[in-house]
Amino acid sequence: MNTLLILLAFLRVRLMGGKLAARFGVVVLLVGGLSHGAYAQYPVRGIIRDKETKEPLPFVGIGVKGTTMGTASNENGEFTLSLSSVPQTLIFSELAHIKDTVRVTQAGQSLEIELAPATVVLSEVKVASYAYQLVDRAYQQMKKNYGRKFYGKAYYRQITRIDNDPTELLEMVWNAKSNIARIEGTSIAQGRYAAKQALISDKNFSLYTKAFGLYDDKADTTKALGLFSPNVVANYLLEIKGVLEKGETGGVAEIAFETRPEQTKYRSKGTVWIDVDTYQVIRYKMTTPQLTRKANNPTFSFKNTELELDMVFQNDTTAVNPLEHIKADMTYDLVRPGLPPSKMKVSAFTFFYDTSRKPTSLTYNKVTSNERDLETIRKVKYDPEFWANNPVVKRTPLEDEVAKSFEQKGAFGTMVKKPEPKADVRIRNGRIE
């Protein structure tokens, strides 16, 4: 059973058809450790724009040269970063733009960075077989290096919205073990949860992030439905869109994929970016619609369900690179008898940081369908100072507003508060109602 079918078995979903979703950039993450006393004291902030359009660039990776520290621009292209010392060299990278570096010589600097768009080359890559050749070589490279492990930390943030109103916020920091294709295991280090009374909540949405992978060495290759399998020609239509130049040599091929119409067991559509020299997968973005979901309330039903997964790996000169982020978005209509449908959206963004190949003595738990995120968080003592001083939670202004609204209600650390019980008898203006 391949990775995709395992994920479907966990979630009891049926996948059919899809639409290609919006574009996100490559991310390089984030802070250097869990100890809130270890953060640096030399703040730098700025904004990153496209050199031609002058539009802000979201999710641009900002790394500190020679260290594991870094951050990423938010949805408005803005970023803040604390350095351990100055001077330092910052590296700015995003898949569709040329990498650039800036030397920071003093604290408090405000930077305005402009990245030039990467050139798209189409001259010699229009042959249909080239796309299949690249995907097959990426599969072989993934299969060969699947046993090489990475160890580090991951920050997970999930927000549930009902009719665009945030109703649930969940955050966890994991110790994470991963490889070239997936997360292999996690153990929670910190967590917090806040929620308003709402129609519905997602109790194990992190399963989409932790269970999904591009390749599984235990899968039955004769039945594998994933893009990276021996069956890619039989199961997928591929079209190469172009090659993004990385510099003087090499490039990253952009390949659109879609399951063939005759493939009825699994439907997906998306784009994959593959380094044409190393065959490393740089990014994989996939959308699948019509997932079958169930609610505890038998009067609830779900329609127009769609899941989008976006995996980004580090992009350098090697063929084996760790994960940088995984983004999971699910949208659907919640239908109740006699009422208009409610628009639901659950979004999760996981950042991987402080990653190395050095093994640890930690225990990493494999994902199971029985795990519940809220129960896992409750097993860890809530540390408000950790969350107040950790720059990873300050990334996105909109999400910070959501967090602030929950913090004002005193929800963090106390979990979900139950509504006050209603009185059997109410007295108003001296009269019993």
Tab-separated table of all heavy atoms in Angstrom, residues 157-161 164-171 192 194-196 396-409 411-412:
chain	number	residue	atom	x	y	z
A	157	ARG	N	1.320	25.443	12.929
A	157	ARG	CA	0.228	26.362	13.273
A	157	ARG	C	-1.000	26.014	12.433
A	157	ARG	O	-0.921	25.879	11.227
A	157	ARG	CB	0.621	27.813	13.026
A	157	ARG	CG	-0.559	28.780	13.147
A	157	ARG	CD	-0.144	30.214	12.883
A	157	ARG	NE	0.535	30.763	14.045
A	157	ARG	CZ	1.225	31.905	14.022
A	157	ARG	NH1	1.355	32.577	12.896
A	157	ARG	NH2	1.798	32.353	15.125
A	158	GLN	N	-2.135	25.903	13.092
A	158	GLN	CA	-3.394	25.554	12.424
A	158	GLN	C	-4.477	26.547	12.821
A	158	GLN	O	-4.641	26.854	14.003
A	158	GLN	CB	-3.810	24.136	12.820
A	158	GLN	CG	-5.186	23.711	12.333
A	158	GLN	CD	-5.627	22.416	12.971
A	158	GLN	OE1	-4.808	21.520	13.229
A	158	GLN	NE2	-6.914	22.288	13.257
A	159	ILE	N	-5.213	27.022	11.850
A	159	ILE	CA	-6.328	27.935	12.102
A	159	ILE	C	-7.570	27.407	11.393
A	159	ILE	O	-7.535	27.076	10.210
A	159	ILE	CB	-6.021	29.357	11.605
A	159	ILE	CG1	-4.825	29.944	12.346
A	159	ILE	CG2	-7.237	30.263	11.801
A	159	ILE	CD1	-4.414	31.315	11.858
A	160	THR	N	-8.668	27.323	12.130
A	160	THR	CA	-9.961	26.959	11.563
A	160	THR	C	-10.825	28.202	11.467
A	160	THR	O	-10.906	28.982	12.414
A	160	THR	CB	-10.667	25.909	12.445
A	160	THR	OG1	-9.826	24.756	12.566
A	160	THR	CG2	-12.001	25.501	11.843
A	161	ARG	N	-11.463	28.375	10.317
A	161	ARG	CA	-12.362	29.507	10.111
A	161	ARG	C	-13.722	29.001	9.648
A	161	ARG	O	-13.801	28.122	8.790
A	161	ARG	CB	-11.799	30.482	9.085
A	161	ARG	CG	-10.570	31.260	9.560
A	161	ARG	CD	-10.050	32.187	8.469
A	161	ARG	NE	-9.018	33.087	8.948
A	161	ARG	CZ	-7.724	32.780	8.991
A	161	ARG	NH1	-7.322	31.596	8.564
A	161	ARG	NH2	-6.836	33.639	9.444
A	164	ASN	N	-15.275	32.670	7.460
A	164	ASN	CA	-14.147	33.607	7.575
A	164	ASN	C	-13.902	34.111	9.003
A	164	ASN	O	-13.062	34.974	9.222
A	164	ASN	CB	-14.342	34.808	6.638
A	164	ASN	CG	-13.021	35.405	6.204
A	164	ASN	OD1	-12.034	34.697	6.024
A	164	ASN	ND2	-12.979	36.717	6.055
A	165	ASP	N	-14.606	33.569	9.969
A	165	ASP	CA	-14.393	33.942	11.366
A	165	ASP	C	-13.494	32.895	12.022
A	165	ASP	O	-13.842	31.709	12.048
A	165	ASP	CB	-15.728	34.019	12.110
A	165	ASP	CG	-15.544	34.337	13.587
A	165	ASP	OD1	-14.661	35.149	13.912
A	165	ASP	OD2	-16.284	33.760	14.411
A	166	PRO	N	-12.306	33.285	12.549
A	166	PRO	CA	-11.436	32.296	13.189
A	166	PRO	C	-12.065	31.737	14.452
A	166	PRO	O	-12.442	32.482	15.355
A	166	PRO	CB	-10.166	33.096	13.495
A	166	PRO	CG	-10.592	34.524	13.518
A	166	PRO	CD	-11.728	34.643	12.570
A	167	THR	N	-12.181	30.439	14.519
A	167	THR	CA	-12.829	29.789	15.657
A	167	THR	C	-11.901	28.855	16.420
A	167	THR	O	-12.224	28.443	17.528
A	167	THR	CB	-14.042	28.973	15.187
A	167	THR	OG1	-13.610	27.985	14.238
A	167	THR	CG2	-15.083	29.883	14.535
A	168	GLU	N	-10.755	28.532	15.839
A	168	GLU	CA	-9.862	27.558	16.466
A	168	GLU	C	-8.426	27.865	16.065
A	168	GLU	O	-8.145	28.104	14.885
A	168	GLU	CB	-10.256	26.152	16.004
A	168	GLU	CG	-9.528	25.021	16.690
A	168	GLU	CD	-10.035	23.679	16.199
A	168	GLU	OE1	-10.283	23.529	14.992
A	168	GLU	OE2	-10.201	22.777	17.035
A	169	LEU	N	-7.545	27.889	17.051
A	169	LEU	CA	-6.123	28.123	16.805
A	169	LEU	C	-5.326	27.094	17.581
A	169	LEU	O	-5.486	26.949	18.792
A	169	LEU	CB	-5.729	29.530	17.240
A	169	LEU	CG	-4.238	29.879	17.178
A	169	LEU	CD1	-3.719	29.798	15.759
A	169	LEU	CD2	-3.993	31.264	17.750
A	170	LEU	N	-4.468	26.366	16.863
A	170	LEU	CA	-3.685	25.300	17.473
A	170	LEU	C	-2.240	25.452	17.021
A	170	LEU	O	-1.967	25.625	15.835
A	170	LEU	CB	-4.258	23.951	17.044
A	170	LEU	CG	-3.661	22.682	17.630
A	170	LEU	CD1	-4.738	21.594	17.706
A	170	LEU	CD2	-2.485	22.181	16.799
A	171	GLU	N	-1.311	25.392	17.977
A	171	GLU	CA	0.099	25.524	17.665
A	171	GLU	C	0.900	24.472	18.426
A	171	GLU	O	0.636	24.218	19.600
A	171	GLU	CB	0.602	26.925	18.021
A	171	GLU	CG	-0.036	28.022	17.186
A	171	GLU	CD	0.343	29.409	17.688
A	171	GLU	OE1	0.090	29.688	18.870
A	171	GLU	OE2	0.881	30.183	16.892
A	192	ARG	N	-0.045	24.763	22.369
A	192	ARG	CA	-1.133	25.551	22.964
A	192	ARG	C	-2.333	25.508	22.026
A	192	ARG	O	-2.217	25.237	20.824
A	192	ARG	CB	-0.699	26.990	23.228
A	192	ARG	CG	-0.366	27.824	21.989
A	192	ARG	CD	-0.032	29.247	22.397
A	192	ARG	NE	0.259	30.091	21.252
A	192	ARG	CZ	0.504	31.397	21.321
A	192	ARG	NH1	0.495	31.998	22.501
A	192	ARG	NH2	0.765	32.105	20.240
A	194	ALA	N	-6.482	27.261	21.478
A	194	ALA	CA	-7.532	28.189	21.867
A	194	ALA	C	-8.693	28.011	20.911
A	194	ALA	O	-8.498	27.706	19.732
A	194	ALA	CB	-7.038	29.635	21.810
A	195	ALA	N	-9.899	28.207	21.402
A	195	ALA	CA	-11.065	28.051	20.543
A	195	ALA	C	-12.250	28.810	21.103
A	195	ALA	O	-12.361	29.017	22.315
A	195	ALA	CB	-11.428	26.572	20.396
A	196	LYS	N	-13.095	29.239	20.206
A	196	LYS	CA	-14.392	29.779	20.558
A	196	LYS	C	-15.426	28.667	20.399
A	196	LYS	O	-15.212	27.713	19.665
A	196	LYS	CB	-14.740	30.951	19.630
A	196	LYS	CG	-13.700	32.066	19.597
A	196	LYS	CD	-14.048	33.083	18.532
A	196	LYS	CE	-12.949	34.136	18.396
A	196	LYS	NZ	-13.237	35.101	17.297
A	396	THR	N	3.281	36.143	10.804
A	396	THR	CA	2.247	36.656	9.922
A	396	THR	C	1.291	37.564	10.676
A	396	THR	O	0.644	37.130	11.621
A	396	THR	CB	1.461	35.481	9.307
A	396	THR	OG1	2.397	34.583	8.712
A	396	THR	CG2	0.494	35.955	8.254
A	397	PRO	N	1.157	38.823	10.285
A	397	PRO	CA	0.304	39.764	11.024
A	397	PRO	C	-1.127	39.278	11.213
A	397	PRO	O	-1.677	39.388	12.298
A	397	PRO	CB	0.350	41.018	10.146
A	397	PRO	CG	1.648	40.928	9.432
A	397	PRO	CD	1.871	39.466	9.179
A	398	LEU	N	-1.737	38.716	10.202
A	398	LEU	CA	-3.115	38.258	10.334
A	398	LEU	C	-3.228	37.186	11.402
A	398	LEU	O	-4.109	37.214	12.252
A	398	LEU	CB	-3.627	37.715	8.994
A	398	LEU	CG	-5.030	37.107	9.025
A	398	LEU	CD1	-6.063	38.143	9.420
A	398	LEU	CD2	-5.372	36.487	7.667
A	399	GLU	N	-2.297	36.240	11.381
A	399	GLU	CA	-2.334	35.174	12.362
A	399	GLU	C	-2.017	35.700	13.755
A	399	GLU	O	-2.544	35.187	14.741
A	399	GLU	CB	-1.364	34.071	11.952
A	399	GLU	CG	-1.789	33.360	10.688
A	399	GLU	CD	-0.814	32.298	10.256
A	399	GLU	OE1	0.323	32.288	10.760
A	399	GLU	OE2	-1.188	31.475	9.411
A	400	ASP	N	-1.180	36.717	13.842
A	400	ASP	CA	-0.922	37.327	15.140
A	400	ASP	C	-2.183	37.974	15.695
A	400	ASP	O	-2.432	37.943	16.903
A	400	ASP	CB	0.189	38.374	15.024
A	400	ASP	CG	1.564	37.740	14.919
A	400	ASP	OD1	1.688	36.561	15.275
A	400	ASP	OD2	2.498	38.417	14.484
A	401	GLU	N	-2.991	38.590	14.826
A	401	GLU	CA	-4.252	39.169	15.280
A	401	GLU	C	-5.180	38.083	15.821
A	401	GLU	O	-5.857	38.266	16.825
A	401	GLU	CB	-4.930	39.904	14.120
A	401	GLU	CG	-4.241	41.190	13.710
A	401	GLU	CD	-4.964	41.886	12.580
A	401	GLU	OE1	-6.143	41.536	12.347
A	401	GLU	OE2	-4.374	42.759	11.939
A	402	VAL	N	-5.195	36.958	15.130
A	402	VAL	CA	-6.019	35.835	15.602
A	402	VAL	C	-5.537	35.366	16.966
A	402	VAL	O	-6.328	35.179	17.893
A	402	VAL	CB	-5.971	34.676	14.586
A	402	VAL	CG1	-6.696	33.457	15.135
A	402	VAL	CG2	-6.589	35.102	13.259
A	403	ALA	N	-4.217	35.187	17.101
A	403	ALA	CA	-3.662	34.747	18.377
A	403	ALA	C	-3.984	35.741	19.485
A	403	ALA	O	-4.351	35.362	20.602
A	403	ALA	CB	-2.154	34.566	18.251
A	404	LYS	N	-3.871	37.029	19.180
A	404	LYS	CA	-4.133	38.061	20.184
A	404	LYS	C	-5.584	38.029	20.638
A	404	LYS	O	-5.890	38.172	21.824
A	404	LYS	CB	-3.790	39.436	19.622
A	404	LYS	CG	-3.906	40.557	20.640
A	404	LYS	CD	-3.458	41.878	20.039
A	404	LYS	CE	-3.554	43.007	21.057
A	404	LYS	NZ	-3.116	44.304	20.483
A	405	SER	N	-6.491	37.809	19.691
A	405	SER	CA	-7.916	37.783	20.051
A	405	SER	C	-8.219	36.631	20.996
A	405	SER	O	-9.030	36.760	21.905
A	405	SER	CB	-8.782	37.685	18.795
A	405	SER	OG	-8.672	36.407	18.195
A	406	PHE	N	-7.531	35.493	20.789
A	406	PHE	CA	-7.735	34.365	21.683
A	406	PHE	C	-7.068	34.604	23.033
A	406	PHE	O	-7.611	34.248	24.079
A	406	PHE	CB	-7.192	33.085	21.050
A	406	PHE	CG	-8.090	32.493	20.003
A	406	PHE	CD1	-7.655	32.352	18.699
A	406	PHE	CD2	-9.367	32.074	20.310
A	406	PHE	CE1	-8.468	31.803	17.726
A	406	PHE	CE2	-10.196	31.522	19.352
A	406	PHE	CZ	-9.741	31.386	18.045
A	407	GLU	N	-5.880	35.208	23.010
A	407	GLU	CA	-5.176	35.465	24.266
A	407	GLU	C	-5.962	36.417	25.157
A	407	GLU	O	-5.959	36.289	26.382
A	407	GLU	CB	-3.786	36.032	23.967
A	407	GLU	CG	-2.809	34.980	23.467
A	407	GLU	CD	-1.484	35.573	23.041
A	407	GLU	OE1	-1.468	36.766	22.675
A	407	GLU	OE2	-0.478	34.847	23.057
A	408	GLN	N	-6.663	37.369	24.549
A	408	GLN	CA	-7.474	38.305	25.325
A	408	GLN	C	-8.608	37.595	26.056
A	408	GLN	O	-9.091	38.066	27.076
A	408	GLN	CB	-8.030	39.393	24.406
A	408	GLN	CG	-6.974	40.395	23.937
A	408	GLN	CD	-7.506	41.361	22.917
A	408	GLN	OE1	-8.554	41.134	22.305
A	408	GLN	NE2	-6.804	42.455	22.714
A	409	LYS	N	-9.019	36.463	25.495
A	409	LYS	CA	-10.070	35.685	26.151
A	409	LYS	C	-9.512	34.721	27.197
A	409	LYS	O	-10.251	33.998	27.840
A	409	LYS	CB	-10.865	34.892	25.093
A	409	LYS	CG	-11.662	35.772	24.134
A	409	LYS	CD	-12.381	34.915	23.116
A	409	LYS	CE	-13.203	35.778	22.180
A	409	LYS	NZ	-14.310	36.465	22.886
A	411	ALA	N	-7.786	32.099	26.626
A	411	ALA	CA	-8.048	30.731	26.190
A	411	ALA	C	-6.806	29.846	26.224
A	411	ALA	O	-6.901	28.652	26.465
A	411	ALA	CB	-8.632	30.743	24.768
A	412	PHE	N	-5.615	30.407	25.961
A	412	PHE	CA	-4.414	29.589	25.959
A	412	PHE	C	-4.137	29.074	27.362
A	412	PHE	O	-4.172	29.790	28.334
A	412	PHE	CB	-3.212	30.394	25.474
A	412	PHE	CG	-3.243	30.674	23.997
A	412	PHE	CD1	-2.937	31.925	23.520
A	412	PHE	CD2	-3.595	29.683	23.097
A	412	PHE	CE1	-2.948	32.183	22.163
A	412	PHE	CE2	-3.618	29.924	21.747
A	412	PHE	CZ	-3.296	31.186	21.268
